[in-house]
């Protein structure tokens, strides 16, 4: 029989058990923060009707989707968790309590060219607060604080850069540039990659003499500078006021890693107010989570106005970056705290011992195949912190030696005392 060469498609990540254990731990820490903040957990389908997922798509998105047609059903694999959320709140609006606070962690699929930090299949984590008709600005500060708490839980050294789209939009209104605002914003969004000089040159071609004023505001780093800029436009003033409120609330919530930075644009036509982005200190050009305020989540599915604020972060991407930085402790490959190794006619006793320990919430396993040496080597390779060798003498005496695999020390205890020395 001809064998097929095993291989994994480009852009799809598979981890070894010891790496998967670390990733699962990351995911659990993130979920614990989200639950601590009172967010409900959603789990929407991976496949949705194409007319649902593509309701607001276009351009590059449609080129990147994975689409499946089965009989008369046209389906698409979800490429983010936002459109499924919009469908969900539109469908169940009358059964939900608003503001609706939700999180979802799940795989999303994008048929883009794989590159560093970009995969075709990856775990996405989203958290949102959605209002019915209105949503107070306090929600903006709350979701930023949740993102900050996630970084703390993961021991990630990151900054959260905070801006407000209304500041620049108000400036464009005052300068008579509203018709060119998307083109200018697109340039400012790429300014970090382009370099200031190249960016300024292109903005000046669009904005003329207003380019100097745009860059003066764009580079301001404090609320006082923004307040004293001389701009009188009401949209601008509203943006500065919202920024002041959000940053003040973040201080109240003891968020120390958030700071004002107007270079955060976050797309052109989705966010309407607060925007923010997390950056690793070691990779300042790579986003590790971000989001903002949007005016109407469900406009494609409902006539009800549902403003919201939220963030998304690629957990798989963050894992890859932290692993590259050597900031993940990759230990044993399984969850066992104890390996039981029977020798002689003690297998039945060993399985009974394992059952009793598991009943006391002690993760353990019985290593019963191959030679004694091979089983010891397996315990070492798996990174099990403790082992017990169960021989006929141990069964007869009721005393068992618990060996610490790190220190080499062995402690003699009775069966009921084993949990206490692990």
């Amino acid at each position: 029989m001809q064998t097929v060469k095993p291989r994994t498609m480009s852009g799809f990540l598979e981890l070894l058990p010891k790496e998967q254990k670390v990733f699962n731990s990351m995911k659990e820490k993130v979920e614990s923060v989200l639950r601590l903040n009172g967010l409900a957990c959603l789990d929407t389908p991976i496949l949705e009707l194409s007319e649902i997922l593509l309701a607001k798509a276009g351009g590059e998105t449609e080129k990147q989707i994975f689409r499946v047609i089965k009989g008369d059903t046209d389906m698409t694999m979800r490429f983010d968790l936002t459109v499924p959320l919009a469908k969900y709140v539109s469908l169940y609006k009358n059964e939900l309590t608003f503001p609706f606070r939700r999180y979802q962690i799940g795989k999303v699929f994008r048929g883009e060219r794989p590159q560093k930090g970009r995969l075709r299949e990856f775990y996405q984590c989203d958290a949102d607060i959605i209002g019915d008709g209105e949503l107070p600005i306090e929600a903006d500060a709350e979701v930023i604080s949740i993102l900050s708490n996630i970084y703390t839980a993961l021991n990630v050294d990151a900054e959260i850069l905070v801006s407000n789209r209304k500041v620049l939009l108000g400036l464009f209104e005052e300068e008579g540039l509203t018709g060119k605002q998307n083109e200018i914003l697109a340039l400012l969004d790429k300014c970090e990659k382009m370099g200031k000089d190249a960016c300024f040159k292109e903005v000046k071609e669009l904005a003329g003499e207003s380019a100097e004023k745009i860059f003066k505001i764009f580079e301001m780093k404090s609320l006082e500078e923004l307040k004293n800029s001389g701009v009188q436009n009401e949209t601008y003033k509203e943006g500065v006021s919202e920024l002041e409120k959000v940053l003040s609330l973040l201080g109240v919530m003891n968020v120390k890693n958030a700071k004002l930075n107007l270079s955060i644009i976050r797309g052109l036509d989705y966010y309407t107010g607060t925007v923010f982005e997390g950056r690793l200190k070691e990779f300042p050009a790579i986003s590790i989570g971000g989001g903002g305020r949007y005016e109407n989540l469900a406009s494609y599915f409902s006539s009800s106005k549902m403003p919201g604020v939220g963030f998304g972060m690629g957990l798989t991407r963050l894992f890859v970056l932290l692993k590259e930085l050597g900031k993940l402790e990759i230990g044993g490959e399984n969850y066992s705290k104890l390996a039981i190794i029977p020798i002689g006619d003690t297998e039945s006793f060993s399985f009974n011992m394992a059952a009793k320990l598991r009943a006391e919430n002690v993760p353990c396993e019985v290593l019963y195949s191959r030679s004694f040496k091979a089983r010891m080597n397996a315990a070492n390779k798996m990174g099990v912190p403790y082992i017990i060798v169960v021989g006929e003498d141990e069964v007869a005496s009721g005393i068992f030696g618990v060996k610490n695999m790190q220190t080499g020390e062995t402690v003699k205890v009775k069966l009921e005392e084993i949990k206490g020395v692990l």
Side-chain angles (χ1 to χ4, degrees):
M1 183 178 70
Q2 185 177 3
T3 59
V4 177
K5 182 181 179 180
R7 60 196 186 278
T8 302
M9 289 191 297
S10 176
F12 292 79
L13 186 67
E14 287 179 326
L15 301 175
L16 292 170
K18 60 185 178 182
E19 297 170 323
Q20 189 68 53
K21 182 181 176 183
V22 176
F23 179 82
N24 290 349
S25 176
M26 279 182 59
K27 190 155 72 75
E28 288 164 8
K29 288 175 182 176
V30 170
E31 281 204 87
S32 69
V33 171
L34 296 165
R35 290 195 298 265
L36 193 63
N37 283 273
L39 277 68
C41 177
L42 296 191
D43 185 14
T44 59
I46 287 176
L47 278 171
E48 297 268 14
L49 292 172
S50 293
E51 66 180 35
I52 297 292
L53 282 191
L54 302 180
K56 58 189 298 184
E60 287 302 308
T61 299
E62 293 208 23
K63 295 177 185 177
Q64 294 175 1
I65 61 170
F66 289 102
R67 199 165 186 168
V68 180
I69 298 177
K70 184 74 171 176
D72 296 330
T73 307
D74 185 353
M75 301 167 282
T76 295
M77 299 179 80
R78 64 189 182 204
F79 51 84
D80 68 11
L81 300 177
T82 302
V83 179
L85 172 63
K87 179 216 72 175
Y88 186 93
V89 294
S90 301
L91 188 60
Y92 300 108
K93 180 178 182 293
N94 294 332
E95 300 168 57
L96 299 175
T97 302
F98 290 88
F100 179 55
R101 304 156 58 85
R102 109 1 167 156
Y103 78 88
Q104 182 169 356
I105 299 176
K107 286 186 174 182
V108 298
F109 304 85
R110 297 179 186 176
E112 57 186 351
R113 183 173 65 85
Q115 53 188 301
K116 182 177 180 178
R118 291 190 177 275
L119 297 169
R120 290 177 171 176
E121 176 194 61
F122 57 93
Y123 275 96
Q124 177 83 0
C125 169
D126 277 16
D128 292 82
I129 303 175
I130 300 139
D132 184 8
E134 61 179 10
L135 185 68
I137 193 69
E138 285 81 356
D140 297 33
E142 187 171 10
V143 295
I144 295 172
S145 76
I146 293 171
L147 182 60
S148 177
N149 291 337
I150 286 173
Y151 293 150
T152 299
L154 295 177
N155 197 26
V156 170
D157 188 10
E159 285 185 328
I160 301 177
L161 309 180
V162 184
S163 184
N164 192 299
R165 292 284 295 273
K166 293 177 183 177
V167 173
L168 289 176
L169 294 178
L171 176 62
F172 297 153
E173 287 176 12
E174 183 160 291
E175 296 297 308
L177 296 168
T178 301
K180 300 178 180 179
Q181 68 182 31
N182 281 356
E183 293 174 88
I184 298 172
L185 285 173
L187 289 170
L188 294 176
D189 198 25
K190 297 184 291 185
C191 194
E192 196 171 17
K193 294 180 180 178
M194 295 172 63
K196 179 182 174 181
D197 292 343
C199 185
F200 179 81
K201 182 180 178 181
E202 293 198 34
V203 170
K204 191 169 184 178
E205 289 178 7
L206 291 168
E209 295 305 312
S210 296
E212 292 278 359
K213 193 170 186 179
I214 290 170
F215 266 78
K216 183 180 178 182
I217 300 291
F218 185 63
E219 294 180 328
M220 287 182 176
K221 300 298 182 185
S222 73
L223 288 167
E224 286 307 307
E225 287 181 288
L226 292 173
K227 289 179 181 179
N228 298 324
S229 67
V231 179
Q232 298 301 313
N233 177 272
E234 289 304 315
T235 301
Y236 175 93
K237 290 181 179 179
E238 186 178 343
V240 174
S241 176
E242 289 180 358
L243 265 176
E244 184 173 28
K245 178 70 171 178
V246 167
L247 292 171
S248 174
L249 284 169
L250 289 174
V252 169
M253 291 186 280
N254 203 30
V255 175
K256 300 184 184 300
N257 61 337
K259 69 177 186 179
L260 173 66
N261 190 314
L262 292 182
S263 71
I264 302 304
I265 306 295
R266 299 291 299 178
L268 302 179
D269 57 2
Y270 183 63
Y271 295 112
T272 56
T274 301
V275 283
F276 55 92
E277 197 165 284
R279 303 279 184 88
L280 273 175
K281 295 284 182 66
E282 294 87 349
F283 290 109
I286 299 179
S287 170
I288 55 164
R293 163 76 65 140
Y294 40 85
E295 189 61 29
N296 195 357
L297 173 74
S299 59
Y300 284 85
F301 305 115
S302 171
S303 59
S304 299
K305 183 181 178 183
M306 295 184 191
V309 60
F311 66 80
M313 61 184 298
L315 285 184
T316 306
R317 176 189 231 188
L318 182 57
F319 174 85
V320 171
L321 290 173
L322 293 176
K323 183 183 174 187
E324 184 176 323
L325 288 169
K327 295 203 168 188
L328 296 177
E329 188 175 335
I330 309 292
E333 64 186 35
N334 62 10
Y335 291 92
S336 292
K337 196 170 185 180
L338 171 70
I340 301 168
I341 302 177
I343 55 174
D345 190 19
T346 63
E347 279 191 1
S348 294
F349 184 93
S350 296
F351 279 113
N352 182 257
M353 173 189 282
K356 289 177 179 177
L357 289 170
R358 290 170 188 148
E360 296 185 55
N361 293 316
V362 176
C364 60
E365 60 187 291
V366 180
L367 303 182
Y368 51 86
S369 63
R370 300 186 295 172
S371 68
F372 176 76
K373 182 179 179 181
R375 284 180 279 170
M376 288 296 293
N377 288 338
N380 273 313
K381 187 175 180 180
M382 290 187 298
V384 179
Y386 296 93
I387 66 165
I388 294 178
V389 177
V390 180
E392 294 174 359
D393 290 344
E394 284 79 12
V395 173
S397 67
I399 303 296
F400 305 91
V402 181
K403 183 178 180 179
N404 184 317
M405 297 294 279
Q406 288 284 85
T407 65
E409 179 185 5
T410 298
V411 179
K412 301 282 188 178
V413 293
K414 295 179 181 178
L415 177 58
E416 60 270 20
E417 298 170 335
I418 291 174
K419 182 179 179 180
V421 300
L422 299 179

